[in-house]
Amino acid sequence: VVRQNYSVLISIMVNFRVKLFLIWIFLVSLYICQYFLSSLYSQNEIKLKRWITNGTTNVLIQDSQKRKHYKILCWFLTSPDALEKKAKYVRDTWAKHCDIDLYMSSKDNKTFPTIGFNVTEGREHLAEKSRLAWTYVYDHYFNTADYFVKADTDTFIVVENLRKMLQNYDPKNAEFFGHMYYYGRRTKDGMFMAGGPGIVVSKEALRRLVILGIKKATGNNKCIPDGGMEDVKTCSCLYKTGSRPVNSTDHLGRERFLVWPPHNYIMRMLPKWYIGMDADKGKNQGVNCCSDHPIAFHYIDPQLMHTMYYMFYKTKVDATFVKQRADLNRNVTHIV
């Protein structure tokens, strides 16, 4: 009986060890499969992230004596009919904070003033106007500014916050900034910066864009051919000539270049097409959507343009009397 019990015990122990061994083999196999599948699935994404310059890893220089005052040139696409309807509201508000502001049209206007190009007005010719504008800026202002901002006349930019972000960068590097979109597939070839909130181009990126992409290019290789989608074509040329896009969200991943007015993000009013094209798939919504130092907003009508200018530049909050952040968020949980 003792021998029989001993044999049963030995058999149980052997079976237990075999089961443990098989479980171990299963877990190791599962881990290996997961590793290779994950590696295969994310290969393109990893390559893309390595290609994109990540600005959030840099530490902003706090010492005022070491801060760099980069000169910023802002230029705008407009038309003779839009000067009094839209362009003047930009000129009279935030554009004054740029070191240089230029307005590109199809006719010269010495009073406004505008720079006129021999181009037909209309959205179907925005790309040609944009190409002529980039070339003009390079020919006349390349040595005058460090960064070059292309914006629309319904864009609002807090130039001081842009200067703050640019402290981490060098205009000698071929880089460009903005709100990252994907057109079609989420690959390098499908990525571009939305034109609405503005595209910020470094000095070296501008040089490559104009010299390599426009002046020296011939035939089908010439950048920014006439037609629509000038922002997609501009970014395509920047890629082609060796410039890199910069991840322009803040260190918490929140938006700094907003494609819509702020209430669209705060109240979760973003359209489905935006979520589909957005690099972050529209995750930045609610009261914590956006950076404490936002840079740009789009679709800003003249009335809102002056309102935002007043709120950003003419008002102040006395921090002495500010309640705790938890109390401030208490009554807005329904939109978080």
Side-chain angles (χ1 to χ4, degrees), residues 162-173:
L162 174 59
R163 294 188 193 279
K164 179 181 177 70
M165 184 192 75
L166 292 175
Q167 292 295 299
N168 289 328
Y169 301 95
D170 188 336
K172 294 178 183 177
N173 295 330

Side-chain angles (χ1 to χ4, degrees), residues 147-258:
Y147 285 94
F148 304 84
V149 181
K150 178 269 167 187
D152 293 340
T153 50
D154 59 351
T155 305
F156 187 97
I157 293 179
V158 186
V159 179
E160 290 73 15
N161 288 348
L162 174 59
R163 294 188 193 279
K164 179 181 177 70
M165 184 192 75
L166 292 175
Q167 292 295 299
N168 289 328
Y169 301 95
D170 188 336
K172 294 178 183 177
N173 295 330
E175 298 172 327
F176 58 105
F177 311 76
H179 185 100
M180 204 171 286
Y181 265 168
Y182 285 97
Y183 183 73
R185 296 180 62 186
R186 289 182 172 263
T187 62
K188 173 181 174 180
D189 294 335
M191 184 188 298
F192 70 100
M193 300 297 184
I199 300 174
V200 182
V201 176
S202 71
K203 193 184 195 79
E204 175 59 18
L206 174 65
R207 186 191 70 80
R208 296 186 184 196
L209 173 72
V210 175
I211 296 299
L212 302 179
I214 297 175
K215 292 195 173 186
K216 290 187 176 180
T218 58
N220 294 332
N221 292 322
K222 200 174 189 67
C223 281
I224 320 179
D226 194 16
M229 302 176 67
E230 52 87 19
D231 49 359
V232 176
K233 293 175 180 177
T234 298
C235 291
S236 175
C237 187
L238 287 165
Y239 301 149
K240 189 187 300 183
T241 54
S243 296
R244 284 195 166 200
V246 174
N247 176 6
S248 302
T249 54
D250 70 6
H251 66 288
L252 296 176
R254 300 174 301 181
E255 300 292 354
R256 284 196 283 207
F257 289 79
L258 281 67

